[in-house]
Amino acid sequence: MTGSRKKEIGGRLREKREQAGYTREKLGELCSLSPRFIANIELGDSSFSLDSLITVCRVLSCSSDYLLFGGNIDNQAWAETISKIRQLDLKYQEPVEKTMQGLLEAITRAENSS
């Protein structure tokens, strides 16, 4: 991943953290990450692991799409997708979740190798 891309991601993280009213220390505490690691990401010196990205997105109530790419997502489309998944028989929900996780990991690996 290029340094400029890391800085863009870091800038969006900082923006979301500040909008949430969190210090780096508080966000780190909520995500079980060190404040220094949060600072390194915000400065573009480090990047997220997939697990850290998921945790940060959950705590900040934002999408990984926004943090990684700056894209605006169609919340209605995601709401419809989630609704369809929840309507599935329970035996299908776990495989769908695992498939989505695998897809996210593949996208992250591809992005990190470019």
Side-chain angles (χ1 to χ4, degrees):
M1 183 180 323
T2 65
S4 64
R5 180 158 307 209
K6 285 182 182 179
K7 287 184 185 214
E8 291 170 6
I9 292 168
R12 288 188 288 271
L13 172 61
R14 181 178 180 182
E15 174 188 322
K16 285 295 185 184
R17 176 181 58 78
E18 289 176 347
Q19 284 176 357
Y22 296 142
T23 62
R24 289 176 178 158
E25 290 75 16
K26 183 62 177 176
L27 180 60
E29 177 185 325
L30 293 169
C31 297
S32 299
L33 301 169
S34 75
R36 183 70 234 158
F37 181 68
I38 301 291
N40 286 343
I41 293 172
E42 289 183 355
L43 296 170
D45 295 333
S46 294
S47 57
F48 291 108
S49 70
L50 183 57
D51 288 337
S52 295
L53 175 62
I54 290 168
T55 301
V56 167
C57 288
R58 284 183 179 153
V59 169
L60 294 177
S61 299
C62 69
S63 72
S64 59
D65 183 60
Y66 175 77
L67 284 183
L68 296 176
F69 307 108
N72 294 319
I73 61 169
D74 182 349
N75 287 327
Q76 180 62 33
W78 278 112
E80 290 171 10
T81 301
I82 291 167
S83 175
K84 288 176 185 175
I85 292 170
R86 287 185 178 149
Q87 292 174 18
L88 291 172
D89 188 290
L90 288 176
K91 68 182 177 183
Y92 298 115
Q93 288 182 17
E94 184 177 345
V96 168
E97 184 177 328
K98 286 182 180 182
T99 301
M100 297 291 287
Q101 183 70 25
L103 179 61
L104 290 171
E105 289 173 5
I107 291 168
T108 301
R109 278 193 305 273
E111 185 63 29
N112 286 336
S113 67
S114 61

